[in-house]
Amino acid sequence: EIVLTQSPATLSLSPGERATLSCRASQSVSSFLAWYQQKPGQAPRLLIYDASNRATGIPARFSGSGSGTDFTLTISSLEPEDFAVYYCQQRSNWPTITFGQGTRLEIK
Amino acid sequence: EVHLVQSGAEVKKPGESLKISCKDSGYNFTSKWIAWVRQTPGKGLEWMGTIYLGDSDTRYSPSFQGQVTISADESVTTAFLHWNNLKASDSGMYYCARLVRSRLDPWGQGTLVTVSS
């Protein structure tokens, strides 16, 4: 089973700053990696799929990069509504999937 | 707008059975695969299993194999998650989501399950 490890567990930043979140896979997942944002009381929302493609309606300040085992989600300039928990997810052997443990992005 | 609509919150006692549902209004548009995901405070998001609405082909996470049953009724474009013998540890928020290639989108609104004596 492929394990996804996200870092840091918690990231404390101020609005306007740049956020860089990491997701590392225990073995290659090619580009089959997605990122989700979850706010309290809400279902997760797809942000990025196939490592670097923004989902419909996602602002351009969100970007994803990486392939193989190392992936990054970058938020170029934090807005107040961006403070949430972020999860990465991979699909290795169709249709099985796994999630990272999440990164909490909090206001400093 | 296509979306997944889940059944409402449930409160059950240990040992009882339960079946929750997820209706896909966007069926056949992009994918017929529906995944179930559990969320508990201590463990984040956990994939439980995935079912193909067309023929009910189902894959389970090893952690949930034998603990739950995933089923589907294509005629009503609905997937189900079923427990025969609930435990307190089954309490949590359960989400369904459509699996499209490598991503989950959209997600249902979630069904909160509480198991308590």
Side-chain angles (χ1 to χ4, degrees), chain A residues 1 31-34 36 38 41-46 48-50 55 87 89-91 94-101, chain B residues 31 33 35 37 39 43-47 49-50 59-63 95 99-105 107-110:
Chain A
E1 177 186 321
S31 294
F32 297 128
L33 190 106
Y36 301 86
Q38 187 177 32
Q42 296 184 17
R45 176 177 71 146
L46 176 69
I48 302 288
Y49 65 94
D50 292 346
Y87 294 95
Q89 167 256 312
Q90 65 84 24
R91 188 271 292 170
W94 176 268
T96 63
I97 59 178
T98 55
F99 294 93
Q101 81 280 16
Chain B
S31 169
W33 290 94
V37 176
Q39 185 166 39
K43 289 195 173 184
L45 298 172
E46 299 174 272
W47 172 70
T50 310
R59 313 293 170 84
Y60 291 94
S61 162
S63 299
Y95 294 102
L99 180 58
V100 181
R101 288 172 53 85
S102 62
R103 61 197 186 266
L104 295 168
D105 185 53
W107 291 63
Q109 82 278 19

Side-chain angles (χ1 to χ4, degrees), chain B residues 46-112:
Chain B
E46 299 174 272
W47 172 70
M48 303 176 69
T50 310
I51 189 165
Y52 185 69
L53 291 179
D55 64 5
S56 293
D57 179 17
T58 307
R59 313 293 170 84
Y60 291 94
S61 162
S63 299
F64 292 92
Q65 178 85 48
Q67 307 304 309
V68 297
T69 301
I70 295 172
S71 62
D73 184 339
E74 187 182 14
S75 68
V76 290
T77 64
T78 300
F80 303 94
L81 183 61
H82 180 228
W83 294 262
N84 274 326
N85 181 16
L86 283 162
K87 308 175 188 62
S89 57
D90 292 319
S91 296
M93 182 68 81
Y94 292 85
Y95 294 102
C96 64
R98 187 182 304 135
L99 180 58
V100 181
R101 288 172 53 85
S102 62
R103 61 197 186 266
L104 295 168
D105 185 53
W107 291 63
Q109 82 278 19
T111 296
L112 181 64

Side-chain angles (χ1 to χ4, degrees), chain A residues 11-15 17-20 78 83 105-108:
Chain A
L11 184 59
S12 300
L13 294 170
S14 300
E17 290 193 295
R18 182 185 186 89
T20 303
L78 286 165
F83 293 92
L105 178 57
E106 63 178 27
I107 299 177
K108 188 173 182 180

Side-chain angles (χ1 to χ4, degrees), chain A residues 75-98:
Chain A
I75 310 172
S76 58
S77 179
L78 286 165
E79 297 288 340
E81 62 268 26
D82 298 337
F83 293 92
V85 179
Y86 292 83
Y87 294 95
C88 58
Q89 167 256 312
Q90 65 84 24
R91 188 271 292 170
S92 54
N93 299 316
W94 176 268
T96 63
I97 59 178
T98 55

